[in-house]
């Protein structure tokens, strides 16, 4: 793992919302320093791990530019268990398209938008939507929010020579995925989130840590990277317990009892909505956050939805991380012009930037073909003349200037894998009323 540096800035902002970026798979394992069966059964299972040591695929521009209007489709959760993520992401895309068109469009033509629902992993909605978007001529598809949903359609999109641009996927699995250089994301990889989470834990002085993680690429990858970063922070490996559980289990008593036996001074829970059951059981045995234990969460559970799912006061002092940038009230006000009912803003900035980057890449390529856009995406985010809006960047690109677009989510500096080389995370904390506030930001990067 490359050496990273940490920079922390102070701020106090509003609450963040629950975010799910991979879907659980049923699996179980053994306890102790490795894995544990979520149902208390005796069968063992290998946790899913992925390598991030590779040379990522790169797209190659075609010989003949395509100058038809840029068509952007969305693959965002309008229905299913992730539907609460949809409104800010949809608003971010709509705002970006409106502002691109107001500035002159792409290749002097308005961008066309085709909305689409991703559903979740319990349905085939994503495949049906992708078929419709491809038939409609989409050059860029923004989505999905869930890593597991994206993995269901990534091959189809890449094989069609279309850009897939997720605003919320965080799984490490995409770093080396054979995507023909057509997949990108504005959300930082969980390799970075593990550093932010580990920093929180280490700064609080923890010396003995238990990690409970759901068994899917998101959970196991984040857990593995967190262990590595905790060890790098000086916590011995024999003082770190990692338990991998089946998120679909009826009970998590066995796992929580194993944690209590281990007697940690800090517990990290890497999970989704099942985290409510885990924390409730932790409180029953006296090791919950409101009982004085240092308890940490991540983007999959650090949301007000978790606070509504457990007894009053149970989450008091629980901290955690979620990809979050201080986008400011001005951007939020702009979002409300397209969706006045908007309350949460998570991943709105990432969705907005995905569209702006794609539009600038098309202008730089002088083509709206998906492969041509993909071949130019990384370069418009780094190493050139800085610009921060489409209206500011467009004339530079048209004049042949190499640009470095810094978006509403900050400096992007895409790596060869088509993702930010730095990540900004909210340092979130639950209060005595089970609601979240943002207690500053943690920025990690190369």
């Amino acid at each position: 793992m490359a050496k990273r540096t940490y920079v922390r800035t102070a701020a106090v902002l509003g609450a963040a919302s629950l975010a799910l970026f991979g879907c659980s798979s049923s699996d179980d394992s053994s306890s102790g320093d490795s894995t544990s069966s979520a149902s208390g059964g005796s069968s063992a299972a290998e946790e899913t791990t992925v390598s991030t040591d590779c040379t990522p695929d790169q797209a190659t521009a075609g010989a003949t530019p395509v100058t038809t209007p840029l068509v952007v489709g969305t693959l965002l959760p309008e229905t299913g268990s992730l539907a609460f993520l949809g409104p800010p992401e949809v608003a971010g895309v709509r705002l970006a398209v409106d502002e691109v068109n107001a500035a002159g469009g792409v290749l002097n033509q308005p961008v066309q938008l085709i909305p689409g629902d991703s559903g979740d992993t319990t349905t085939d909605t994503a495949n049906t939507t992708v078929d419709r978007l491809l038939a409609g001529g989409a050059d860029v598809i923004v989505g999905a929010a869930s890593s597991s949903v994206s993995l269901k359609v990534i091959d189809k999109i890449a094989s069609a020579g279309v850009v897939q641009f997720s605003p919320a996927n965080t799984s490490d699995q995409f770093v080396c995925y054979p995507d023909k250089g057509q997949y990108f994301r504005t959300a930082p990889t969980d390799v970075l989130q593990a550093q932010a989470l580990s920093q929180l834990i280490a700064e609080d002085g923890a010396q003995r840590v238990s990690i409970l993680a759901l068994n899917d690429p998101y959970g196991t990858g984040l857990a593995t990277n967190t262990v590595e970063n905790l060890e790098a922070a000086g916590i011995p490996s024999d003082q770190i317990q990692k338990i991998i559980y089946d998120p679909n289990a009826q009970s998590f008593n066995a796992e929580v009892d194993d944690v209590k036996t281990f007697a940690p001074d800090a517990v990290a829970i890497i999970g989704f909505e099942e985290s409510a059951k885990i924390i409730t059981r932790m409180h029953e045995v006296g090791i919950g956050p409101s009982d004085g234990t240092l308890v940490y969460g991540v983007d999959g559970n650090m949301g007000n939805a978790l606070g509504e799912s457990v007894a009053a006061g149970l989450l008091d002092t629980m901290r955690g991380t979620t990809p979050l940038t201080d986008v400011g009230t001005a951007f939020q006000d702009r979002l409300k012009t397209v969706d006045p009912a908007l309350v949460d803003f998570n991943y709105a900035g990432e969705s907005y930037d995905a569209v702006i980057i794609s539009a600038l890449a098309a202008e730089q390529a002088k083509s709206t073909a998906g492969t041509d856009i993909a071949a130019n995406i990384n370069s418009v985010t780094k190493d050139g003349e800085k610009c921060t809006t489409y209206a500011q960047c467009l004339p530079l690109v048209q004049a042949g200037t190499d640009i470095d677009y810094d978006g509403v989510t900050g400096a992007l500096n895409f790596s060869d894998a088509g993702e930010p080389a730095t990540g900004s995370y909210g340092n979130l904390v639950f209060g005595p009323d089970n609601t979240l506030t943002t207690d500053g930001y943690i920025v990690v990067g190369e």
Side-chain angles (χ1 to χ4, degrees):
M1 178 178 295
K3 184 177 180 181
R4 316 276 183 171
T5 58
Y6 304 117
V7 180
R8 189 171 181 180
T9 59
V12 179
L13 293 178
S17 294
L18 177 66
L20 307 181
F21 306 113
C23 286
S24 43
S25 59
S26 58
D27 218 343
D28 50 354
S29 19
S30 71
S31 68
D33 215 24
S34 54
T35 56
S36 173
S37 167
S39 60
S42 58
S43 60
E46 294 294 329
E47 56 183 283
T48 305
T49 58
V50 295
S51 171
T52 56
D53 183 13
C54 64
T55 300
D57 289 353
Q58 302 295 309
T60 302
T64 305
V66 174
T67 57
T68 53
L70 176 65
V71 180
V72 175
T74 60
L75 183 66
L76 297 171
E78 299 172 359
T79 62
S81 60
L82 308 181
F84 62 89
L85 287 177
E89 294 172 344
V90 170
V93 170
R94 288 177 55 197
L95 178 63
V97 169
D98 288 349
E99 293 188 352
V100 167
N101 289 340
V106 172
L107 304 183
N108 298 311
Q109 301 169 96
V111 175
Q112 300 175 8
L113 177 62
I114 307 176
D117 181 20
S118 67
D120 57 30
T121 56
T122 66
T123 69
D124 200 40
T125 303
N127 267 303
T128 301
T129 297
V130 167
D131 289 342
R132 177 172 61 84
L133 295 177
L134 295 178
D139 306 298
V140 176
I141 295 176
V142 179
S146 159
S147 292
S148 292
V149 171
S150 285
L151 289 167
K152 292 177 68 173
V153 296
I154 187 172
D155 292 336
K156 180 184 293 185
I157 297 172
S159 295
V162 170
V163 170
Q164 181 179 2
F165 213 141
S166 173
N169 290 166
T170 62
S171 171
D172 299 351
Q173 194 159 346
F174 295 102
V175 176
C176 295
Y177 195 90
D179 55 21
K180 305 180 188 298
Q182 296 293 130
Y183 174 87
F184 302 85
R185 56 180 165 184
T186 38
T189 172
D190 280 326
V191 171
L192 297 178
Q193 181 165 198
Q195 296 173 44
L197 176 63
S198 301
Q199 182 180 354
L200 269 185
I201 296 171
E203 285 183 346
D204 283 343
Q207 296 297 313
R208 188 171 174 86
V209 182
S210 290
I211 299 172
L212 284 160
L214 81 165
N215 195 358
D216 80 344
Y218 163 77
T220 58
L222 184 47
T224 297
N225 287 319
T226 299
V227 169
E228 291 178 1
N229 281 277
L230 289 173
E231 291 176 348
I235 300 177
S237 59
D238 63 358
Q239 299 299 302
I240 302 173
Q241 177 191 48
K242 183 172 65 174
I243 298 175
I244 306 299
Y245 65 83
D246 174 5
N248 297 314
Q250 294 300 309
S251 168
F252 303 97
N253 291 3
E255 288 73 24
V256 173
D257 291 349
D258 283 347
V259 171
K260 182 174 176 63
T261 299
F262 189 68
D265 49 24
V267 180
I269 304 170
I270 301 171
F272 297 152
E273 58 264 54
E274 76 282 354
S275 302
K277 291 183 178 179
I278 293 172
I279 292 171
T280 298
R281 176 59 180 173
M282 289 173 63
H283 178 64
E284 290 171 354
V285 299
I287 58 171
S290 62
D291 303 303
T293 303
L294 295 173
V295 179
Y296 302 87
V298 289
D299 56 321
N301 51 29
M302 288 300 292
N304 286 314
L306 178 62
E308 296 166 359
S309 302
V310 300
L314 224 60
L315 301 180
D316 189 20
T317 74
M318 180 176 175
R319 287 188 176 271
T321 56
T322 193
L324 192 64
T325 303
D326 182 5
V327 297
T329 56
F331 179 66
Q332 293 177 1
D333 290 343
R334 283 156 56 199
L335 288 168
K336 288 183 177 180
T337 65
V338 297
D339 184 356
L342 204 60
V343 175
D344 294 322
F345 300 94
N346 280 9
Y347 299 98
E350 285 82 357
S351 300
Y352 176 93
D353 280 343
V355 174
I356 300 298
I357 292 167
S358 298
L360 291 170
E363 277 285 349
Q364 182 168 283
K366 295 181 173 57
S367 172
T368 55
T371 52
D372 297 346
I373 294 170
N376 284 271
I377 282 178
N378 290 345
S379 68
V380 300
T381 71
K382 60 184 179 181
D383 300 334
E385 184 173 335
K386 287 191 178 294
C387 52
T388 57
T389 68
Y390 187 77
Q392 182 185 25
C393 295
L394 179 59
L396 295 174
V397 174
Q398 291 174 332
T401 303
D402 180 22
I403 66 164
D404 177 356
Y405 170 68
D406 286 353
V408 296
T409 57
L412 293 155
N413 299 323
F414 274 16
S415 67
D416 288 345
E419 61 192 26
T422 60
S424 175
Y425 296 89
N427 174 4
L428 309 182
V429 58
F430 280 102
D433 57 353
N434 280 4
T435 61
L436 276 173
T437 56
T438 304
D439 186 19
Y441 294 86
I442 303 170
V443 179
V444 296
E446 299 285 359

